Amino acid sequence: MAQKFPDGFIFGGATAAYQVEGATREDGRGPCVWDEYMNRPGARFNADPASDFYHQYKQDLQLAHDFHINGIRISLSWTRILPDGEGKVNQAGIDYYNKLIDECIRQGVEPFVTLHHFDTPLPFFQNGHWLNRDLIDKFVAYAKICFEAFGDRVMKWATFNEPWSIAQNGYLAGNFPPHETFQIEKAIQIEHNLMVAHAKALNLYKSMNLPGRIGIVHTLEGKEAITDTPKNNHARDLDDAISNRFMLDACYLGRYSETTMGFINEILQKNGGSLLTEEQDFVEFAKAAAQIDFLGMNYYSSHFLQAYEGESQVVNNSTGEKGTSVFCLKSIGARVSNSAVPTTDWDWPIYPEGMYKQLKRIARDYPNYKEIFISENGMGYKDDFVDGKIDDTPRIEYVTRHLEAVLKAISEGVHVGGYYIWSLMDVLSWSNGYSKRYGLFYVDYATQKRYPKKSAYWYKAMSRRGEIVGADDIAD
Ligand code: BGP
């Protein structure tokens, strides 16, 4: 197994606009879907101040630079740039992102910019969200403004972050707006519509002769049968089809394969529903599949599937009370615990093998993939802050095991160009708030002071040497 990371490998840190910026009402920013939800009566938390990245970005980029972090994932807030989602451009939004991007470059922390990380403008959300196909062209118009404003300096673009999370969390699990549950038909339709928007924006970018590259970020949860029986294996295949395969086909084959559609149609038939597509969608898909430069792969966990014919039921663990999650979908399967696999406090199985398998699977099933970046991976943890120090050894162990999986895939020929830990600093968690921390840098939200965790020193040593180092191997 290769011990060293390839030359030029990026040791990055990931963020997303809504989770770090705060300043939700400053400088003309318009409301997005999450503002309404997080400010509802009785909400446990909201996005102010988050990590106050809107004002603290220089401090964060200085820290990134000092800790040998040479890439950062940021996303653009659509409603900072277009407060109503369309129409008049807010110059203050453009100015902010110009300053941010320039500072990234000045500090040698290359920006990887995502156009949409869950924060759809509120009026579009209220008007049908991604079920309304009008949103596709509105997104492409917004993308064009961003490509024109920042395309001379941004060398890595992603159209969307995790279409599957928008579909699953919003329409199956009910822990993202609009908090619907078990709407399988809607979830599949949204995946398709998002992939059309992705393809159209990507094709537009490619027509603009800009110097950078463009891809998409998918969350690729691993799927395993809990025991090797035909029924459990089928549950695994169905969950994989709706969560991963359907969108990977759109991305890389430029169409849905017959096998994929076999699974999707089975799910739709059993739950009642159909998929609406237009002929032109597949023309856009095919064109985009031939031009996509990279895949951003977010990987945290895998699911263990058991056949399940009962009614759908989901309980979301949003407080870190271990062992409280339930996830069973009618005619797809039940995600059950595997006693041989440890979990985080939020019941996410820790299974690096699943990451390796997903990397290999992309290379095997979609050999035109060009390059993969691990665009998110990391561990939510209730960090203890003791005398200004944070010993997050379990996080270091988690990341070490996942980086070993990456190295194994690389040694077997998979082209992986970088790793962006989720997250650079502690950030707001969408459905867990501020107590689920992921950062290399601890954020004291009251003072906005940053404290490097043990993992930050470890990450620095690794980036300097270009190889995995021990948890106590601290860079000089
Ligand atoms: C991914 C999202 C991130 C981030 C991460 C951790 O799905 O792209 O934005 O939130 O998950 O999730 P959570 O905060 O729910 O633990």
Side-chain angles (χ1 to χ4, degrees):
M1 190 177 99
Q3 289 303 311
K4 283 252 176 203
F5 289 94
D7 287 345
F9 192 83
I10 292 170
F11 286 91
T15 70
Y18 198 70
Q19 292 176 276
V20 296
E21 286 178 2
T24 61
R25 289 161 209 236
E26 255 176 79
D27 294 338
R29 177 186 175 281
C32 79
V33 42
W34 285 91
D35 292 311
E36 189 193 42
Y37 169 64
M38 289 212 185
N39 293 303
R40 74 197 183 284
R44 287 188 289 148
F45 47 82
N46 67 28
D48 287 296
S51 327
D52 196 30
F53 190 63
Y54 192 70
H55 302 108
Q56 311 288 337
Y57 69 92
K58 284 193 180 159
Q59 174 186 179
D60 288 316
L61 289 164
Q62 183 68 51
L63 276 172
H65 170 90
D66 293 348
F67 279 76
H68 276 251
I69 293 161
N70 58 356
I72 181 171
R73 261 192 84 201
I74 56 173
S75 75
L76 306 178
S77 157
W78 186 338
T79 56
R80 265 194 211 291
I81 293 170
L82 290 162
D84 301 320
E86 60 188 336
K88 196 170 173 334
V89 171
N90 176 29
Q91 190 56 41
I94 300 278
D95 292 347
Y96 168 63
Y97 289 115
N98 268 328
K99 283 188 284 180
L100 171 57
I101 289 164
D102 288 348
E103 187 66 12
C104 290
I105 294 166
R106 197 180 74 79
Q107 290 285 14
V109 185
E110 191 209 28
F112 174 138
V113 177
T114 304
L115 290 166
H116 181 282
H117 195 127
F118 302 160
D119 48 359
T120 303
L122 182 59
F124 300 157
F125 171 73
Q126 290 167 331
N127 201 22
H129 204 201
W130 291 100
L131 286 166
N132 183 343
R133 285 187 63 115
D134 289 351
L135 191 42
I136 295 171
D137 285 336
K138 294 185 194 299
F139 173 75
V140 177
Y142 153 66
K144 183 161 188 266
I145 291 167
C146 299
F147 296 150
E148 282 168 349
F150 316 117
D152 57 333
R153 284 152 293 150
V154 172
M155 296 300 135
K156 288 191 181 71
W157 290 96
T159 51
F160 286 97
N161 180 71
E162 299 191 351
W164 173 235
S165 296
I166 299 170
Q168 171 184 251
N169 300 354
Y171 297 84
L172 301 181
N175 59 342
F176 272 24
H179 302 281
E180 295 185 12
T181 46
F182 321 136
Q183 302 300 312
I184 289 180
E185 178 185 26
K186 287 187 184 173
I188 293 173
Q189 188 65 56
I190 281 175
E191 291 182 90
H192 175 77
N193 293 357
L194 281 164
M195 290 311 298
V196 176
H198 152 78
K200 288 186 91 166
L202 187 147
N203 292 335
L204 167 72
Y205 180 82
K206 287 294 181 183
S207 72
M208 291 173 72
N209 290 319
L210 289 162
R213 296 187 291 156
I214 188 164
I216 186 170
V217 171
H218 280 304
T219 173
L220 295 182
E221 301 156 333
K223 306 292 173 184
E224 304 272 341
I226 184 72
T227 54
D228 183 13
T229 68
K231 283 189 167 176
N232 291 344
N233 289 341
H234 191 58
R236 173 202 61 206
D237 292 342
L238 293 174
D239 198 348
D240 181 64
I242 189 174
S243 313
N244 300 321
R245 188 171 176 160
F246 185 57
M247 286 173 296
L248 286 172
D249 275 12
C251 219
Y252 281 114
L253 301 183
R255 61 186 167 81
Y256 302 124
S257 77
E258 264 178 50
T259 316
T260 303
M261 280 320 292
F263 293 133
I264 295 293
N265 284 330
E266 179 184 332
I267 294 170
L268 283 170
Q269 274 157 22
K270 285 186 180 161
N271 287 279
S274 55
L275 171 68
L276 299 177
T277 63
E278 293 179 8
E279 234 176 274
Q280 185 61 24
D281 298 347
F282 297 96
V283 175
E284 297 286 350
F285 279 180
K287 206 169 151 194
Q291 306 191 83
I292 183 168
D293 295 306
F294 61 82
L295 175 68
M297 170 172 150
N298 292 355
Y299 178 89
Y300 291 88
S301 193
S302 289
H303 299 129
F304 298 90
L305 272 297
Q306 192 165 44
Y308 183 76
E309 292 301 327
E311 290 303 314
S312 297
Q313 30 169 333
V314 171
V315 177
N316 297 302
N317 171 354
S318 60
T319 54
E321 199 185 324
K322 216 169 178 165
T324 53
S325 302
V326 176
F327 196 103
C328 310
L329 286 182
K330 185 179 166 188
S331 309
I332 297 183
R335 297 178 186 170
V336 295
S337 65
N338 179 341
S339 55
V341 174
T343 60
T344 69
D345 286 342
W346 284 265
D347 300 324
W348 294 14
I350 301 175
Y351 192 65
E353 179 76 9
M355 178 186 234
Y356 164 77
K357 286 186 184 169
Q358 288 290 36
L359 287 168
K360 293 284 286 186
R361 173 254 190 110
I362 301 293
R364 183 194 63 219
D365 294 348
Y366 307 100
N368 58 327
Y369 74 96
K370 294 190 191 141
E371 188 167 21
I372 302 170
F373 294 97
I374 304 300
S375 37
E376 281 181 35
N377 172 248
M379 186 170 138
Y381 190 58
K382 299 167 190 163
D383 289 301
D384 281 330
F385 183 87
V386 183
D387 298 333
K389 294 206 165 58
I390 304 97
D391 182 346
D392 58 344
T393 303
R395 177 175 292 117
I396 295 175
E397 284 164 3
Y398 174 102
V399 175
T400 298
R401 293 185 57 208
H402 286 82
L403 283 171
E404 284 167 358
V406 171
L407 279 178
K408 185 170 174 215
I410 291 176
S411 74
E412 293 171 17
V414 183
H415 189 196
V416 185
Y419 175 93
Y420 296 76
I421 192 169
W422 183 268
S423 45
L424 179 62
M425 69 300 230
D426 291 334
V427 306
L428 167 71
S429 166
W430 301 99
S431 45
N432 303 275
Y434 291 100
S435 55
K436 189 179 190 185
R437 294 175 181 267
Y438 280 92
L440 292 175
F441 300 100
Y442 186 94
V443 175
D444 176 340
Y445 291 107
T447 61
Q448 289 299 336
K449 196 166 164 358
R450 274 63 169 150
Y451 298 84
K453 300 180 192 175
K454 182 175 175 183
S455 57
Y457 294 102
W458 166 79
Y459 204 69
K460 178 179 180 182
M462 196 164 51
S463 170
R464 280 172 72 124
R465 295 191 210 152
E467 62 189 14
I468 297 177
V469 300
D472 293 309
D473 223 333
I474 302 299
D476 32 61

